[in-house]
Amino acid sequence: MITFIGALILLLLGYALYSKFVERVFVINDANPTPAYTKRDNFDFVPMSWWKGSLIQLLNIAGLGPIYGAILGALYGPVAFIWIVIGCIFAGAVHDYFSGMLSMRHNGEQYPSVVGRYLGKNVQRFISVVSLVLMILVAAAFTAGPAQLIAQLTPLSFVAALLLIFGYFVLATVLPVNRIIGKIYPVFGAILLFMAFSIGAALLFSDRTIPNLTLSNLHPGDLPIWPLLMVTISCGAISGFHCTQSPIIARTMKKESDGRKIFYGAMITEGVIALIWAAAGMTFFNGTLGLQEALAAGGPSGVVNEISTTLLGTLGGILAILGVIILPITTGDTALRSSRMILSESLGKFWSMEGKGKVLLITLAVSVPALFLATIDYTFLWRYVGWTNQLVATVMLWTATIYLLKNKKLHWISGIPAMFMTAVVCTYIFYAPEGLGLPYGLSAAIGLSLTAAVLAWYIFQIIKHSRKTTEYHHDAA
């Protein structure tokens, strides 16, 4: 119990203190006009209040991610609390802040274009493909589950439910951001918060004891904490999907000072949600072995339903159904909206067609493969979402680091988490079954060797930009 409460306090302190420090490093200026005004088209670029932007951002980046991922991460025991707190404050929220603010500073540019500015065109081309693949996978993976539940609860077949959901996706993607997303997302965001906080309060006032911190690995399958926990709990700690979503809200910000509340704040809120569900997972079933048995019997959806119904009664059952159906759908639609925006930006130099026709064609181009993938095994899809997601996050952190280096600012705030995530993704791809499936020791050795090479590149970048500063002062003298 003490560990859980302490973790909550640390997350709140992270927002109150560290977010202001990050903001000072970035240096905001509310006198700068934002793209919401300079490029206003009442479609993607339209001013919105910060509180509405925060709730939309929260729902864009969260959905079921900080619920399902946190429950699966709870299999490792209370050590998951450490990753959520440290990952969220020093990596995830920094990642989200820079992805949103750099997009805003560059006229609402999409994530790959921002990457290209600081890491080069080759990296931009690579990450454009990876980002599109990630978002199509997310849209597919987050649609199959709700469609199956709708088919169970209504006369609709799975295929009919799938088509209904994708019909909504297309509508939400081609209409102005304030038409559907701006109106219903704040409501759904409030439902997500109410659901999590209700579970948290019920846990605190129940006779169940939330376990305190132990560094032991309690995973029943004896899977290694590093790097698997860092990929299992992504939403709630750090997630590359977020940097593909931030430009949606960056195009609606009224002033630069809103960025801390919207981007850093939404990530901290997501961390709180993940913390609550991780605690619920390892507490409700009397330990990680009981949680594993519950997951084997009903999957994450069954676990969410059982916890919600038992702790909150009928209300909990309603919230669980709403959550399992609505929340992943609201992640899928913005995934496709971001896909449409990235593809439009990438094709802008080669395709002169403008207007609603182009928007619809590009929307269909990303929706059709997502619809097809949604018909195959969900677990197969999800295995490939994890590593791709964290690879995108790592590239965003390096983008922020080079931006800070070029502007003679404190680059360590993104450089250190970038190095850590580089080690995670380099080791994971060699060890994981969806990767090369090599022995753990060999995977760690290869991963750390690759990380050392990246560290050498980082040191070279520091020296190079230091020399530029010295040369500039010498020439000025």
Side-chain angles (χ1 to χ4, degrees):
M1 180 77 75
I2 294 175
T3 301
F4 174 69
I5 295 174
L8 283 174
I9 293 172
L10 286 174
L11 283 174
L12 296 177
L13 286 175
Y15 176 72
L17 302 176
Y18 197 66
S19 70
K20 292 181 179 179
F21 173 71
V22 172
E23 184 182 60
R24 284 198 298 272
V25 171
F26 184 78
V27 184
I28 60 168
N29 184 357
D30 281 342
N32 293 333
T34 64
Y37 295 105
T38 60
K39 299 188 68 175
R40 182 168 186 168
D41 60 5
N42 292 324
F43 183 62
D44 288 326
F45 295 88
V46 54
M48 287 197 299
S49 61
W50 73 264
W51 66 267
K52 184 178 286 189
S54 295
L55 284 173
I56 295 172
Q57 174 74 0
L58 175 63
L59 208 59
N60 284 357
I61 66 175
L64 283 177
I67 300 176
Y68 281 14
I71 288 172
L72 293 171
L75 287 169
Y76 293 90
V79 69
F81 294 157
I82 299 176
W83 169 237
I84 291 171
V85 170
I86 295 177
C88 187
I89 294 172
F90 297 106
V94 172
H95 165 281
D96 288 15
Y97 182 79
F98 278 96
S99 65
M101 296 302 286
L102 288 178
S103 172
M104 183 272 302
R105 280 279 175 90
H106 295 299
N107 296 313
E109 277 186 351
Q110 292 300 297
Y111 164 64
S113 296
V114 174
V115 169
R117 283 181 177 271
Y118 298 101
L119 297 183
K121 294 300 179 183
N122 289 332
V123 180
Q124 178 181 350
R125 295 185 190 100
F126 168 74
I127 210 65
S128 292
V129 175
V130 173
S131 299
L132 286 170
V133 168
L134 171 62
M135 285 182 287
I136 289 171
L137 284 172
V138 166
F142 274 32
T143 303
Q148 288 171 352
L149 186 56
I150 290 173
Q152 293 171 7
L153 299 175
T154 70
L156 292 175
S157 66
F158 171 73
V159 174
L162 207 58
L163 291 173
L164 182 66
I165 292 171
F166 270 89
Y168 161 74
F169 280 177
V170 172
L171 196 63
T173 303
V174 301
L175 287 176
V177 67
N178 61 341
R179 188 69 60 83
I180 292 181
I181 293 174
K183 292 184 183 301
I184 66 173
Y185 268 40
V187 177
F188 292 156
I191 291 174
L192 175 65
L193 291 174
F194 180 75
M195 183 181 182
F197 293 158
S198 297
I199 293 294
L203 274 179
L204 288 173
F205 292 102
S206 71
D207 57 358
R208 295 176 170 86
T209 302
I210 302 173
N212 284 318
L213 181 61
T214 172
L215 297 180
S216 302
N217 183 359
L218 301 182
H219 198 293
D222 199 30
L223 295 177
I225 292 173
W226 187 85
L228 298 189
L229 178 60
M230 290 75 199
V231 177
T232 302
I233 301 182
S234 53
C235 292
I238 177 171
S239 168
F241 180 69
H242 297 186
C243 66
T244 67
Q245 302 302 292
S246 295
I248 295 177
I249 304 304
R251 296 180 174 195
T252 69
M253 289 169 54
K254 290 184 174 181
K255 54 185 179 180
E256 291 191 356
S257 57
D258 288 343
R260 185 176 70 90
K261 293 175 282 189
I262 293 172
F263 300 116
Y264 202 104
M267 184 65 230
I268 292 294
T269 304
E270 187 183 67
V272 171
I273 294 170
L275 199 68
I276 290 170
W277 280 102
M282 65 183 75
T283 302
F284 187 83
F285 298 98
N286 300 314
T288 57
L289 183 59
L291 174 59
Q292 186 184 51
E293 293 172 353
L295 285 167
S301 297
V303 168
V304 169
N305 184 59
E306 186 173 351
I307 292 174
S308 302
T309 303
T310 303
L311 293 180
L312 302 178
T314 303
L315 173 63
I318 294 172
L319 289 174
I321 291 173
L322 283 173
V324 173
I325 292 177
I326 292 175
L327 297 179
I329 291 175
T330 56
T331 300
D333 62 2
T334 52
L336 290 183
R337 188 179 187 93
S338 296
S339 301
R340 185 263 297 165
M341 292 162 69
I342 288 176
L343 200 54
S344 296
E345 201 168 89
S346 300
L347 295 174
K349 297 178 181 178
F350 311 102
W351 192 5
S352 59
M353 179 181 176
E354 299 292 341
K356 295 180 180 178
K358 180 179 180 180
V359 170
L360 182 59
L361 284 174
I362 292 179
T363 299
L364 292 175
V366 293
S367 297
V368 170
L371 176 59
F372 169 74
L373 288 172
T375 62
I376 68 177
D377 182 32
Y378 170 86
T379 55
F380 173 81
L381 288 176
W382 194 246
R383 287 205 307 267
Y384 289 93
V385 169
W387 182 77
T388 308
N389 186 44
Q390 298 305 62
L391 174 64
V392 170
T394 304
V395 173
M396 181 60 234
L397 285 172
W398 282 122
T399 302
T401 302
I402 298 302
Y403 160 79
L404 292 170
L405 271 170
K406 285 187 173 182
N407 287 276
K408 314 301 181 292
K409 297 179 180 181
L410 190 64
H411 56 88
W412 302 109
I413 63 171
S414 56
I416 292 175
M419 282 302 309
F420 179 82
M421 291 306 299
T422 298
V424 167
V425 297
C426 286
T427 304
Y428 184 88
I429 194 61
F430 289 100
Y431 177 69
E434 64 270 25
L436 298 180
L438 299 179
Y440 181 70
L442 179 59
S443 300
I446 298 173
L448 292 176
S449 297
L450 291 173
T451 303
V454 175
L455 176 60
W457 169 82
Y458 184 22
I459 294 171
F460 171 76
Q461 294 297 320
I462 295 171
I463 295 171
K464 183 177 75 172
H465 287 90
S466 296
R467 285 176 177 171
K468 286 184 178 179
T469 303
T470 303
E471 290 169 2
Y472 170 79
H473 288 305
H474 177 75
D475 293 341

